[in-house]
Amino acid sequence: GGALRRSSLQPSVEQDAGLIGSYTYMRQHQLTDVPVVDPSGHLVGIASWVDVGVGYLRGRLRADASR
């Protein structure tokens, strides 16, 4: 799980990549947001720096790291 992938929406991350995976991908590719896709490659949302910040403030970032 948590695979970073290329789909018809490129670049994108799979929905189970989590906050850390999305953050890492955005940082590596100098993106401010990235499409989130299901295992079939269909768009399910957009992850952004704001999402990462809100998740961190809610303590989800630490929970995601301990998986």
Side-chain angles (χ1 to χ4, degrees), residues 1-65:
L4 302 178
R5 64 175 287 158
R6 290 195 178 263
S7 71
S8 58
L9 294 169
Q10 295 183 29
S12 61
V13 295
E14 283 192 9
Q15 66 191 52
D16 62 350
L19 288 174
I20 291 174
S22 298
Y23 165 80
T24 301
Y25 191 81
M26 287 187 286
R27 187 169 168 102
Q28 287 174 343
H29 297 280
Q30 300 177 348
L31 302 170
T32 57
D33 51 34
V34 64
V36 179
V37 296
D38 67 14
S40 299
H42 297 104
L43 181 67
V44 296
I46 303 290
S48 71
W49 284 103
V50 172
D51 297 321
V52 172
V54 168
Y56 177 79
L57 291 173
R58 291 184 178 165
R60 291 185 183 165
L61 192 60
R62 279 180 249 123
D64 192 28

